[in-house]
Amino acid sequence: MDSDGLCRLYSGHTDAVFCLAWSPDGHLIASGSRDGTVQVWEAATGSIKHSFYRQHTCILSVAWSPDSHYLASGATDGSVYIWQAESGNVQTRYHGHTRFVRSVSWSPDGRLIASGGDYGDNTLQIWEAYSGRTLAIQRTQQRIFSAPWSPDGTVIASASFDQRVELWQAPEEQGALQHLYSYRQHHGPVYAVAWSPDSTTIASAGQEAQVHIWQRTNGNDLYIYSQHQQAIKTLAWSPDGRHIASAGNDTTLHVWCAQTGERTAILTDTHRDIHRTWIR
């Protein structure tokens, strides 16, 4: 660890890195880039384990399966790939989107994928991870930036350009998504949404540089965290639910108490624009 607290620098992409994710077992890190590759790194050493290459496209989103055996990636050409983490072989190619796939997330049981479309696609799609069979397509009026599954597997939250977070009942079979609730307290595009580990509370943030902490059942605000100076692009809860990390365009990463909103740590000037996740 150096004097700035940096443990290790991972280097291998040739262009901007847009997304990253820790494997649930904590051994690997996946990153996606404008260079058209998904890199899988050994977390302990920083060495590249695999490099998945997608020619003439940009990788916008990556997500690990709950068992850490598979990796999903979404790209600007509208495709989602499921890769086998050990071999690097393609398990599934999903072509339900027409343009940018900004978000991919796995259901907690590892059966399904929720993918959110951006820039002219504007759909939330639910499909089987290993067959590519579509269960539901929800068309929206605005770009979707984030669509995580609740840890209990029952609800999907979608954050979009229209200043809303929508909650949807997770489907069991083919059919339309059931809309549950709209959270409308933001005053700008919502770029990030994250569930608490117990699935009862939601954190959402975006252009207005505030993080809203609210209850899933009724949308009541618990508090609003307002310590950032510019748009917030990513959020993550600690696995024990005690802390939240937030980061974005002001080049700072904040860590704060999820119960009180009191900031416990801040990292400054670490990147020009930040995306980070908690290791589990």
Side-chain angles (χ1 to χ4, degrees), residues 136-245:
I137 297 178
Q138 181 65 45
R139 303 190 183 280
T140 67
Q141 297 299 312
Q142 297 287 348
R143 301 154 56 187
I144 295 176
F145 295 113
S146 180
W149 225 287
S150 63
D152 64 12
T154 62
V155 180
I156 301 158
S158 62
S160 66
F161 192 79
D162 65 1
Q163 306 181 26
R164 301 181 186 183
V165 179
E166 309 283 2
L167 301 186
W168 310 89
Q169 185 70 45
E172 293 295 329
E173 295 296 335
Q174 283 185 311
L177 284 176
Q178 179 185 352
H179 184 259
L180 299 176
Y181 185 76
S182 290
Y183 179 79
R184 306 186 182 191
Q185 300 307 309
H186 287 281
H187 301 288
V190 185
Y191 297 133
V193 59
W195 290 90
S196 62
D198 64 5
S199 299
T200 64
T201 308
I202 295 171
S204 54
Q207 186 63 41
E208 64 187 346
Q210 295 179 333
V211 183
H212 293 230
I213 311 299
W214 48 282
Q215 295 176 323
R216 157 185 170 175
T217 54
N218 53 25
N220 288 346
D221 283 317
L222 300 179
Y223 60 87
I224 296 176
Y225 181 79
S226 303
Q227 299 301 309
H228 282 277
Q229 302 301 311
Q230 296 184 44
I232 299 167
K233 294 296 184 66
T234 188
L235 294 168
W237 292 73
S238 61
D240 61 9
R242 297 175 57 193
H243 295 88
I244 299 173

Side-chain angles (χ1 to χ4, degrees), residues 6-113:
L6 179 65
C7 293
R8 182 165 285 106
L9 180 65
Y10 299 83
S11 178
H13 287 289
T14 59
D15 208 330
V17 177
F18 287 134
C19 52
L20 61 86
W22 284 88
S23 62
D25 62 15
H27 295 155
L28 301 172
I29 299 172
S31 55
S33 169
R34 184 184 284 150
D35 65 12
T37 68
V38 176
Q39 307 279 10
V40 177
W41 319 76
E42 296 280 358
T45 65
S47 62
I48 296 177
K49 183 179 179 65
H50 290 298
S51 183
F52 307 141
Y53 184 66
R54 290 285 295 117
Q55 189 174 13
H56 302 309
T57 194
C58 171
I59 308 299
L60 298 175
S61 49
V62 291
W64 289 92
S65 63
D67 62 7
S68 300
H69 291 164
Y70 294 90
L71 180 67
S73 63
T76 53
D77 64 358
S79 64
V80 183
Y81 277 62
I82 307 296
W83 315 84
Q84 295 175 346
E86 283 301 315
S87 68
N89 294 333
V90 175
Q91 171 72 31
T92 311
R93 295 180 180 91
Y94 182 74
H95 297 286
H97 292 277
T98 58
R99 296 197 69 190
F100 293 17
V101 181
R102 181 68 64 176
S103 172
V104 288
S105 65
W106 293 75
S107 61
D109 62 9
R111 295 188 308 112
L112 304 177
I113 298 282

